[in-house]
Amino acid sequence: MPGGRPPIAPVPGRTGWALRFLAGRYRGGTVPLEAGRELLIGRLRECGLVLPEELTSRRHARIVWEAEVPAVEDLGSTNGTFVNGERVKQRRLQAGDRLLVGGNILKLVTEVRPAPGDADTIPGLERVSETPVPRRHSAMSGLLEEVGLPDVLQLCATTRKSGVLEIRHGDERAAVHLAGGRVTRAALEGREGLSPPEVFREIVGWAEGSFDLVPPPPAPPPGPATDLTVEELLMDALRLLDEARRR
């Protein structure tokens, strides 16, 4: 085109599945998945995805394939494998699903990859892990649009966090008090008198908002203390949420 810029030719490529780290050792990194090829996840050096941390079992989980659709299978890990906050033995995955493995949250995404022979390559985990990641003022914070609340709560349990998980959803506020990953109190602002199971049932469906894990208060808040596991509270809340959505 005279006097103008030449048209930009499309870059050849292909779309494939990948796991993107939302939280954990390689936050911001992406692991491409190859259809039909099993991916072993664990602490052992022989694993395709090595996560060298105590919370991850030596052979923790693996990605397998049903036709060209990925599925995750737990390999009897100590701390379990979770999909969208629910502990699973095996689960077929779909785009947007979030996996919790040890202290890592990974999201299943699709991505466009360079065609074979292209100069551009996808950054490896080693390179990504060496890039400093800015930290916010709290021990753990983020947006519920990026990391689902069930995953945040389960991550707190798996990593045995202590403190107060403050959750904001529009004008609503909730606080989950944790000690070593267990729930000692839970409150919903303006809804005094709710038990921790009732609070979990109210907040588990919050898909927008933000969260911050802050240090525990100098003195415990008023009201009776409890000692409940995140997993049992989540299972009950997620079951009721699923039943409500199917009505």
Side-chain angles (χ1 to χ4, degrees):
M1 187 168 58
R5 295 182 178 179
I8 299 176
V11 177
R14 58 189 177 88
T15 301
W17 294 104
L19 291 173
R20 179 175 300 153
F21 278 83
L22 301 181
R25 183 181 182 87
Y26 300 118
R27 189 174 67 177
T30 301
V31 183
L33 300 177
E34 184 177 337
R37 183 174 182 178
E38 177 183 305
L39 176 68
L40 183 62
I41 305 171
R43 286 205 321 265
L44 294 178
R45 294 176 62 88
E46 67 192 48
C47 294
L49 176 54
V50 181
L51 300 176
E53 54 185 35
E54 291 184 3
L55 296 172
T56 306
S57 296
R58 290 181 298 173
R59 294 168 54 88
H60 195 108
R62 62 178 179 175
I63 301 296
V64 295
W65 295 85
E66 299 177 6
E68 294 187 357
V69 178
V72 63
E73 178 184 346
D74 184 75
L75 299 176
S77 64
T78 301
N79 291 306
T81 301
F82 297 80
V83 176
N84 301 328
E86 182 181 352
R87 189 167 185 164
V88 300
K89 290 294 185 184
Q90 183 166 353
R91 175 70 59 85
R92 184 170 176 158
L93 302 173
Q94 57 184 3
D97 281 348
R98 294 178 298 271
L99 282 70
L100 174 63
V101 178
N104 305 274
I105 298 178
L106 306 95
K107 183 178 181 180
L108 183 68
V109 299
T110 57
E111 62 175 15
V112 177
R113 302 172 186 170
D118 284 351
D120 294 331
T121 59
I122 300 172
L125 286 180
E126 183 179 353
R127 177 179 171 185
V128 172
S129 68
E130 293 173 352
T131 303
V133 179
R135 299 294 180 181
R136 293 175 61 178
H137 69 279
S138 67
M140 186 172 69
S141 59
L143 300 177
L144 297 179
E145 293 90 334
E146 298 174 353
V147 186
L149 185 53
D151 302 283
V152 174
L153 290 163
Q154 193 59 61
L155 180 61
C156 289
T158 302
T159 54
R160 300 175 180 85
K161 298 289 188 185
S162 294
V164 182
L165 185 66
E166 297 179 344
I167 309 149
R168 291 165 291 278
H169 173 65
D171 295 330
E172 298 180 281
R173 301 287 186 275
V176 178
H177 294 251
L178 300 157
R182 297 178 69 89
V183 177
T184 59
R185 288 177 174 82
L188 188 58
E189 190 176 283
R191 303 280 300 277
E192 289 76 10
L194 293 182
S195 66
E198 291 171 326
V199 172
F200 267 61
R201 292 167 196 164
E202 291 288 332
I203 68 176
V204 73
W206 291 1
E208 298 177 348
S210 61
F211 62 89
D212 283 278
L213 181 66
V214 300
T226 59
D227 184 24
L228 301 170
T229 68
V230 168
E231 190 170 348
E232 63 185 344
L233 289 169
L234 269 179
M235 286 181 63
D236 173 66
L238 289 170
R239 176 181 59 81
L240 293 175
L241 179 64
D242 186 57
E243 290 177 357
R245 287 173 173 171
R246 287 185 296 185
R247 290 173 187 163

